[in-house]
Amino acid sequence: MRLSQSVVGGKEADAVRHVLCEDGYLGMGAATMRFENELAEYLGVKPWQVITCNSGTASLHLAVLAAVARFSSRGTLPVQPAILVPSLTFVASFQAVLAGGCEPVACDVLPDTGTLDLADAEARLNENVIAVMHVDYASNPWHLDSVYEFGQKHGLAVIDDAAHAFGCEHHSRRIGSFGDLVCFSFDGIKNITCGEGGCLIAFDPQSAQVAADARLLGVEGDTARRFAGGRTWEPDVRLPGLRYHLSNIMAAIGSEQLKRLEPEFAPARRKLYKLYSDLLCAVPDVELLRTDPEDYIIPHIMPIRILNGKKDKVKSALQCNDVPVGTHYRPCHLLTLFGAGAVSLPHAEQLYGELVTLPLHPLLCRDDVTRICDIIKNTLA
Ligand SMILES: *Cc1c(COP(=O)(O)O)cnc(C)c1O
């Protein structure tokens, strides 16, 4: 049994074979353009809004660069620009902020969802803050609309780290179909995978342009020329950029995965998530995270809270029975690079002491879930 797992097979292998043996161009070209068009159609946005790249972290870094460029074009950038980020996230969110030249300001989360606590974020606002990042923790958009209102009110860019939330809907709109700067990851274990990959969805043309150029070393307009089968031999470069583009090989895997998401992956993940919820909702000392309704989300991970200091007991019982468990996440404000706990964020720290992530992926079967829940019940009985 695995905690999470890529679900790939013959279809993805055929698509890669096609790129290698028929097309022969492995870099960013026709297959990448096709994948961007398919993502645009799935999300209901225009192709210019979709900027694929070689990881979710890269898409977050591009979003930060776009936020910085926007702020600079409207006024004077603070000497040390800063971005509000919930602490309960993958370290990628924090590293991307830092890579983009900004200081991550760790914010607390709501104890019942693990998502950004806006009141805490508001208390940490100062003149250096240029953006707020929201993390759709465990595929849960939750107060996302209020985050956009908050951004609007304070003149901040809003970056949605939607690495957990590809395919999810929030109030009848698909994540990635609305917002400001929305970032997805297509790493090996996410709702769909490219092997490694990611994409930024931008909602204003300037941000899309900045990000598209920045993923190709700042070579202006190189995306359009590559998609037309050419290259840029006499470039102008005005802004810093990185080597972040998605290759045809990875894009070909992504195209196949996208076709499988709604018929195959989404129902499998929802079914297992619902079974976990049904079996665990009445167990004493177990608290499920509150979330948008399960019909609207495609659950990427299954973190649960074990209350009253019993987390380690449950964790060892599962591990003794060969059930792999995870921790999402050790809060970033506790990490050495990000202050080693210099600030105290009570809810993030409380959740860190309670959260255990249970196995969840489409290849898990109902019997696995039943067995896992029995171990938890017996341990807490
Ligand atoms: C996976 C993930 C990322 C980074 O994506 P990569 O594709 O692994 O670089 C960022 N944020 C969160 C919350 C993630 O889960």
Side-chain angles (χ1 to χ4, degrees):
M1 193 193 306
R2 301 261 291 271
L3 183 62
S4 47
Q5 194 165 345
S6 314
V7 185
V8 289
K11 292 268 171 52
E12 289 81 3
D14 288 346
V16 169
R17 189 184 179 286
H18 185 87
V19 172
L20 297 181
C21 304
E22 320 284 320
D23 191 26
Y25 185 74
L26 314 190
M28 172 175 161
T32 309
M33 182 171 80
R34 195 177 325 119
F35 185 43
E36 288 195 353
N37 290 337
E38 291 161 357
L39 287 167
E41 193 184 324
Y42 176 73
L43 297 172
V45 298
K46 299 275 189 293
W48 64 261
Q49 297 182 256
V50 180
I51 296 107
T52 54
C53 43
N54 54 20
S55 72
T57 308
S59 75
L60 287 164
H61 187 185
L62 294 175
V64 172
L65 294 177
V68 168
R70 185 190 303 168
F71 205 92
S72 307
S73 72
R74 289 180 187 168
T76 314
L77 194 67
V79 177
Q80 179 51 77
I83 298 185
L84 304 166
V85 195
S87 187
L88 192 73
T89 184
F90 189 36
V91 65
S93 317
F94 273 63
Q95 289 284 25
V97 170
L98 206 56
C102 297
E103 180 201 349
V105 177
C107 299
D108 210 354
V109 295
L110 301 170
D112 48 358
T113 60
T115 55
L116 181 67
D117 178 346
L118 268 180
D120 187 74
E122 184 143 34
R124 293 174 199 284
L125 259 182
N126 60 44
E127 66 283 358
N128 292 336
V129 173
I130 64 158
V132 57
M133 189 185 289
H134 181 263
V135 178
D136 301 335
Y137 181 79
S139 313
N140 184 15
W142 203 243
H143 286 322
L144 187 54
D145 289 337
S146 312
V147 175
Y148 282 113
E149 281 164 26
F150 175 84
Q152 195 115 53
K153 180 170 153 203
H154 298 289
L156 309 176
V158 178
I159 300 171
D160 185 16
D161 179 345
H164 295 181
F166 190 76
C168 298
E169 282 184 16
H170 184 53
H171 302 160
S172 310
R173 294 157 308 161
R174 193 164 270 159
I175 297 296
S177 71
F178 64 96
D180 184 4
L181 299 161
V182 184
C183 299
F184 294 113
S185 163
F186 305 134
D187 85 18
I189 57 158
K190 293 291 175 14
N191 283 351
I192 66 166
T193 184
C194 287
E196 296 289 351
C199 86
L200 167 67
I201 312 298
F203 286 82
D204 71 289
Q206 188 210 0
S207 295
Q209 193 62 56
V210 166
D213 288 345
R215 78 174 149 178
L216 286 162
L217 297 170
V219 175
E220 292 182 348
D222 200 26
T223 294
R225 280 183 291 273
R226 280 169 179 260
F227 285 170
R231 289 289 290 276
T232 306
W233 296 114
E234 306 282 345
D236 192 16
V237 173
R238 267 182 282 205
L239 292 170
L242 298 125
R243 193 86 171 143
Y244 273 173
H245 60 273
L246 185 73
S247 85
N248 275 344
I249 301 174
M250 312 315 250
I253 298 173
S255 288
E256 293 308 316
Q257 288 271 300
L258 185 57
K259 286 183 213 153
R260 298 174 67 179
L261 178 67
E262 293 293 339
E264 199 181 333
F265 302 152
R269 285 183 174 276
R270 287 188 185 121
K271 195 183 73 186
L272 295 166
Y273 175 88
K274 182 162 181 358
L275 184 59
Y276 269 126
S277 307
D278 290 347
L279 294 174
L280 292 174
C281 66
V283 178
D285 296 321
V286 173
E287 186 85 29
L288 300 171
L289 291 167
R290 293 180 67 197
T291 163
D292 276 13
E294 80 219 2
D295 297 344
Y296 299 97
I297 67 169
I298 304 178
H300 160 56
I301 51 173
M302 187 70 215
I304 62 167
R305 297 169 65 190
I306 308 288
L307 310 181
N308 301 316
K310 297 181 182 169
K311 165 183 141 162
D312 288 338
K313 198 167 135 188
V314 169
K315 252 178 108 167
S316 354
L318 289 165
Q319 283 162 336
C320 287
N321 285 281
D322 293 319
V323 176
V325 293
T327 303
H328 292 87
Y329 295 93
R330 181 167 189 219
C332 290
H333 74 283
L334 300 180
L335 306 177
T336 303
L337 181 61
F338 302 112
V343 292
S344 126
L345 302 174
H347 292 145
E349 288 161 31
Q350 178 197 337
L351 284 175
Y352 178 44
E354 295 174 346
L355 287 169
V356 177
T357 304
L358 306 176
L360 181 66
H361 54 78
L363 299 179
L364 203 69
C365 54
R366 295 179 70 87
D367 288 349
D368 294 327
V369 173
T370 310
R371 184 169 81 84
I372 292 165
C373 294
D374 282 341
I375 296 167
I376 296 171
K377 272 187 235 171
N378 294 336
T379 309
L380 292 170

